[in-house]
Amino acid sequence: MSEARTNATPTAPTAPLTTPSVTTLPDTASWHDGVVAAVTEGARFAGLYADRDRLIAVLDGDHGFELIETTIERDADGTASYPSLSNEVPPAFWYERAAYDLSGLIPTGHPRPDPLLLPLHPGSDRPAPGAPVTDLGALIVSADTDAPGPVDLRGHGLLTLMFGPVRSGVSESIEFLIETPGEDIPHLNIRPHFKHRGIAKRFEALAPQDAVLVAERVEGIASVAHALAFSHAVESAAGTRVPPRARLLRVVYAELERIANHLECAMRLSDAAGLSVAIARFAWHKELVMRTMSTLTGSRFGRGAVIPGGVRAPRVDPVVAFDADWSRLRNRILDDRRRVMRTSSFLDRLRGTGVLDADYARRWALVGPIGRASAHAVDARWQHPYDGYRSLPLPAEPALDTDGDARARLRVRWQEVDTSFDLIERAVVALDQIEDSRWSGDRPVTVPDGPALGVAEGPQGEVLYSVRFEGGVIARCLARSPALHDLVAFHDAFHTDVFTDFAFIEASFGLSYAGVAM
Amino acid sequence: MAWAPHGLANGTVTTKWPRRPDAYFDDFPASVEVVVPEDAAPAADAAVLAAANACPTRAIAVEAGEVSLDRGRCILCGRCTRLAPETFRFEPGSATASLGREGLIVGAHEENDEALQRLRADLKARVRHLGRSVHIRHVDAGSDGSDEWELQALSSPVYDIHRLGIFFTASPRHADILMVTGIGTDGMAGPLRRTLDGMPEPIVVMAVGTDAVSGGLVGGGYTDGIGIAPRLASGGRGVDVWVPGSPASPFSVLHGILLALGRVDESGLRTRRGGRA
Ligand code: SF4
């Protein structure tokens, strides 16, 4: 079994997360240089967004999370621009396009300043998250849906294949344009805007207890992780102490969600390989995990279970929910995992497929199983431990691999499933021994004005909320999903792979497109 | 390693519903009920008003002292059941689909039986010609991703809709049922319209999940997503079956499909047509 946590978390703060440190720089040039310098010195780039005319970069450095911000002065004609980060800080690539779409801030020198989340009809207003809207109904901005995607490569023998937005079977809507001269895939263009729901704006003016319900729907397959990350932001701002039982039950929910998601990934990889029995078995296991979640919470996705300040009381005693059947389920999953990892027809398709090397993962600051399979050890449970992860024994380090291919991503997930089962088991035992019977704090949570930040490690990776409160409600909320952060690497996972690897690479990424389109 | 003999040799995992009852179908808290006291309309006391005000999707209406709840807006957050437990409570049971949008409104609400009869007769005429196998085309029009998980689960050995002759198909041309999830974003208006245009008659359209029914909690913002009905109406189609839920659970979706096909009724009991299925 896993080794107990040693001193693997030397920088673990005493409180899970404190208010982020905020550095305000006088102009966009010094902002650009400041962010580049911090990243060069080793800070991890975790996101970029606009709050009205303020441009904010989120970094994770030696002293925890830091916001580096500046205010953009508009030109006489109203345009707002700043020197793009993307050439020096690659992962800014999509964020800068998103900030342009939503807030109209132009990244000068961006290698490809095309719309990403919201291609507007000419003349449409921009939603401008952070700016108060008096009449929400009047703000209907329109996306130009029928325009064909930009085609980058033109030349003899080039074939453009369009996948989506409506694809075969049951899938989320997204479009991939694949431009290929025959078997190789030299270029891929990802267009997630079809299902852009305007998430950022939806958070605004909501009190924390309402906003957490929106957070659960940003990436519906990681509802618990989003509710946790958002609640952490609220709790750190409000100085709320979460009761011990709630901290443990949060771990149970988060790890159930992780197991279900990782089984989904195994299922989709089996599907790509045509292993019908494996698909059926993993689907069966996943269903039982989701039923356990619904036994405890009333929701198969654990919705409504995590609230700022704690959790709702479970519907049944967790000791009852995790009975002998649960142990049998664990063993069956273990059996099937061994079997699939010994099926050579399966492994042959995964090995060397969709490789992202360690240097790439570090430069693009990839999170989640995608990053960890390429030796980039980002996992909030270790680096910013919260809730029950602070007291339960964790392995010395997060699951890691160095191969960076689809097989490595699956191996990392299997290792995490092991840890998830261990954590659930220990959390349930520990729950039984706690005298404090409270599931949430006794005082209503009230938030002071100002910035707050919260993270949680979801199945797909770090979920991050950067929030500005004003008058007890949300004035601006960045819901940064791991999907938006990592999907950009999909462009670069195809170097030499044949076209038929597409399904394997997509399944091995295992990302939610709702979380990309926002 | 051989997979074939391994199979699912751990007993029967597949539900027998609708031929036999299924405990998970019956127990899952898929909706909120308005408790109507005997001989009286549900009381609109202070607790009920507080619940109506606290509902994040404005699903509860209090008019002239009478209470109703629109399951097509409800996201099952449970807030009303905590604030006014005498009036609102979670209802076990997955038979939540309805043939009319009105049918999702419960409590002090006049059910228009005539209208429902008409819907039923119209649908019956359209599905009469369907063969024993029925093909479904799914389109995501702005979901949060959870709805798709629940639809995929229908093909798992636990629900195994193939046993009922129901299949998801890749091509709109071979589809009998169009199933739409998500709030109906502006960006999906075009792709949704093109999918509809590619479908033959007769078709059944299903709005699956509270997002698709009304826009749910996330809809209604600047992408104009207030459910899929307005998107379809512009193409001259209506929604035939409404399945609430945030997301709708696999059993609720299955109830909706079989309701559309006339094989079960609103309460999930088999009809005569269902008898041979
Ligand atoms: S359970 Fe439904 S009706 Fe009740 S408050 Fe929540 S969303 Fe509203």
Side-chain angles (χ1 to χ4, degrees):
Chain A
M1 214 154 267
S2 50
E3 305 148 53
R5 184 211 302 268
T6 51
N7 52 356
T9 52
T11 56
T14 47
L17 284 169
T18 49
T19 318
S21 69
V22 181
T23 307
T24 306
L25 294 172
D27 52 43
T28 57
S30 54
W31 174 85
H32 171 275
D33 295 348
V35 176
V36 171
V39 171
T40 309
E41 282 159 27
R44 176 172 64 89
F45 180 87
L48 178 154
Y49 67 105
D51 182 354
R52 291 165 300 181
D53 281 358
R54 278 189 314 136
L55 188 60
I56 304 168
V58 187
L59 303 178
D60 183 10
D62 288 345
H63 306 290
F65 283 99
E66 183 187 12
L67 305 179
I68 301 186
E69 56 176 62
T70 191
T71 300
I72 298 187
E73 301 291 337
R74 289 189 177 261
D75 293 350
D77 63 353
T79 55
S81 63
Y82 65 98
S84 165
L85 281 179
S86 295
N87 294 305
E88 295 93 342
V89 183
F93 184 66
W94 268 11
Y95 291 98
E96 293 193 322
R97 288 168 64 180
Y100 175 65
D101 288 345
L102 300 181
S103 301
L105 306 184
I106 301 166
T108 310
H110 190 287
R112 182 176 177 164
D114 287 335
L116 180 76
L117 301 185
L118 191 62
L120 296 170
H121 284 310
S124 284
D125 281 339
R126 296 193 185 270
V133 176
T134 38
D135 182 5
L136 247 185
L139 185 81
I140 301 284
V141 297
S142 211
D144 188 10
T145 58
D146 283 348
V151 176
D152 299 306
L153 300 183
R154 289 174 204 275
H156 268 308
L158 279 186
L159 178 68
T160 300
L161 287 160
M162 285 162 83
F163 258 13
V166 181
R167 296 195 283 163
S168 62
V170 176
S171 55
E172 285 192 75
S173 292
I174 189 167
E175 187 179 71
F176 299 100
L177 293 174
I178 303 162
E179 291 145 343
T180 167
E183 286 264 283
D184 296 329
I185 297 185
H187 191 82
L188 179 78
N189 190 7
I190 306 170
R191 306 214 310 154
H193 70 266
F194 296 95
K195 60 184 292 182
H196 176 65
R197 292 174 293 155
I199 286 288
K201 215 63 203 156
R202 196 63 191 82
F203 277 104
E204 293 174 15
L206 292 185
Q209 61 270 29
D210 289 333
V212 70
L213 300 172
V214 177
E216 289 177 336
R217 287 156 178 84
V218 172
E219 272 181 308
I221 59 174
S223 295
V224 173
H226 277 265
L228 281 178
F230 175 77
S231 296
H232 291 156
V234 173
E235 288 154 9
S236 75
T240 313
R241 291 191 63 84
V242 175
R245 284 217 290 180
R247 293 164 167 269
L248 289 167
L249 199 54
R250 284 177 168 191
V251 169
V252 172
Y253 295 154
E255 297 305 323
L256 279 174
E257 178 174 272
R258 194 178 323 279
I259 297 171
N261 272 274
H262 287 0
L263 286 169
E264 163 81 12
C265 179
M267 217 170 85
R268 292 186 51 202
L269 285 168
S270 307
D271 190 27
L275 295 179
S276 56
V277 180
I279 304 168
R281 294 199 54 100
F282 291 133
W284 175 37
H285 304 329
K286 179 186 162 202
E287 174 69 19
L288 295 185
V289 174
M290 294 180 74
R291 287 188 177 192
T292 305
M293 186 77 105
S294 72
T295 302
L296 288 163
T297 68
S299 158
R300 292 159 56 82
F301 294 84
R303 291 188 180 173
V306 174
I307 50 171
V311 293
R312 295 267 171 233
R315 290 166 83 233
V316 302
D317 185 341
V319 177
V320 176
F322 297 99
D323 54 6
D325 281 346
W326 178 255
S327 315
R328 277 194 285 276
L329 173 61
R330 179 178 191 168
N331 290 332
R332 282 199 300 268
I333 292 174
L334 208 61
D335 269 0
D336 286 334
R337 156 203 172 168
R338 277 199 204 106
R339 183 156 309 179
V340 83
M341 296 314 274
R342 280 190 219 136
T343 302
S344 51
S345 61
F346 178 71
L347 294 180
D348 288 349
R349 300 310 314 273
L350 270 58
R351 198 181 297 120
T353 299
V355 178
L356 301 167
D357 66 33
D359 183 52
Y360 181 90
R362 192 186 44 74
R363 276 190 302 119
W364 284 81
L366 298 181
V367 299
I370 300 174
R372 294 193 286 273
S374 300
H376 197 234
V378 178
D379 190 318
R381 292 173 295 171
W382 273 262
Q383 279 118 27
H384 302 284
Y386 49 88
D387 297 325
Y389 299 109
R390 293 163 59 73
S391 57
L392 294 166
L394 282 166
E397 56 175 21
L400 284 180
D401 208 296
T402 51
D403 287 356
D405 58 1
R407 184 178 61 161
R409 295 194 268 278
L410 182 57
R411 275 200 302 240
V412 162
R413 287 188 176 94
W414 285 135
Q415 217 179 313
E416 294 185 8
V417 167
D418 272 347
T419 306
S420 297
F421 272 105
D422 287 346
L423 282 166
I424 290 171
E425 202 172 290
R426 287 170 183 154
V428 171
V429 170
L431 266 172
D432 224 24
Q433 294 158 356
I434 290 173
E435 308 228 320
D436 183 344
S437 64
R438 292 172 309 150
W439 293 110
S440 63
D442 334 280
R443 288 182 302 122
V445 176
T446 50
V447 281
D449 287 2
L453 196 139
V455 293
E457 189 67 20
Q460 286 79 17
E462 178 193 71
V463 177
L464 183 149
Y465 277 75
S466 184
V467 190
R468 179 167 59 86
F469 294 108
E470 214 175 277
V473 299
I474 290 172
R476 172 71 171 105
C477 177
L478 169 76
R480 215 253 25 231
S481 69
L484 179 67
H485 195 81
D486 276 359
L487 186 65
V488 68
F490 199 61
H491 289 114
D492 298 318
F494 284 87
H495 6 248
T496 59
D497 296 316
V498 286
F499 174 70
T500 47
D501 286 345
F502 189 92
F504 289 92
I505 300 178
E506 189 186 18
S508 76
F509 269 54
L511 298 175
S512 154
Y513 299 140
V516 180
M518 299 311 290
Chain B
M1 283 301 285
W3 276 98
H6 189 60
L8 284 164
N10 292 298
T12 314
V13 306
T14 308
T15 179
K16 299 202 167 46
W17 192 86
R19 209 152 39 76
R20 299 257 180 288
D22 182 294
Y24 194 70
F25 183 103
D26 292 336
D27 296 344
F28 187 75
S31 61
V32 174
E33 184 64 293
V34 179
V35 182
V36 184
E38 300 243 352
D39 317 319
D45 54 19
V48 170
L49 289 175
N53 278 329
C55 174
T57 55
R58 303 248 168 280
I60 299 168
V62 181
E63 263 168 58
E66 305 210 311
V67 189
S68 65
L69 184 152
D70 182 356
R71 289 179 176 166
R73 304 187 69 85
C74 173
I75 57 162
L76 301 159
C77 72
R79 205 174 272 178
C80 56
T81 68
R82 288 185 293 272
L83 288 169
E86 308 277 289
T87 307
F88 304 104
R89 67 162 182 240
F90 276 107
E91 174 88 342
S94 304
T96 51
S98 168
L99 293 184
R101 178 67 180 86
E102 292 275 289
L104 296 180
I105 303 172
V106 295
H109 177 74
E110 303 254 327
E111 277 211 52
N112 190 335
D113 276 343
E114 242 173 78
L116 189 62
Q117 293 295 352
R118 247 180 290 126
L119 288 173
R120 205 176 282 146
D122 170 57
L123 195 59
K124 198 170 169 188
R126 273 187 285 154
V127 301
R128 180 173 298 144
H129 304 291
L130 292 182
R132 285 189 62 96
S133 57
V134 175
H135 295 269
I136 302 174
R137 183 81 186 98
H138 162 254
V139 175
D140 159 25
S143 75
D144 63 33
S146 62
D147 307 86
E148 286 68 29
W149 268 28
E150 300 300 56
L151 298 190
Q152 279 159 1
L154 291 172
S155 304
S156 77
V158 179
Y159 299 95
D160 186 23
I161 51 170
H162 305 165
R163 79 199 148 94
L164 301 165
I166 302 165
F167 305 88
F168 283 100
T169 170
S171 139
R173 247 166 305 137
H174 301 121
D176 310 299
I177 295 179
L178 174 66
M179 200 178 259
V180 190
T181 52
I183 63 172
T185 57
D186 193 45
M188 282 305 292
L192 187 58
R193 199 171 49 239
R194 287 192 289 277
T195 305
L196 258 177
D197 290 346
M199 287 182 76
E201 305 277 356
I203 58 161
V204 175
V205 177
M206 292 178 66
V208 173
T210 293
D211 279 357
V213 173
S214 67
L217 180 67
V218 168
Y222 61 82
T223 68
D224 207 15
I226 50 167
I228 61 155
R231 300 284 177 212
L232 294 165
S234 66
R237 309 288 181 114
V239 173
D240 301 299
V241 183
W242 308 79
V243 190
S246 190
S249 75
F251 264 135
S252 284
V253 181
L254 184 53
H255 174 245
I257 298 169
L258 297 184
L259 181 65
L261 299 177
R263 296 195 205 166
V264 301
D265 65 13
E266 265 84 356
S267 56
L269 296 174
R270 278 197 304 167
T271 59
R272 230 176 308 147
R273 186 184 163 85
R276 65 186 178 86

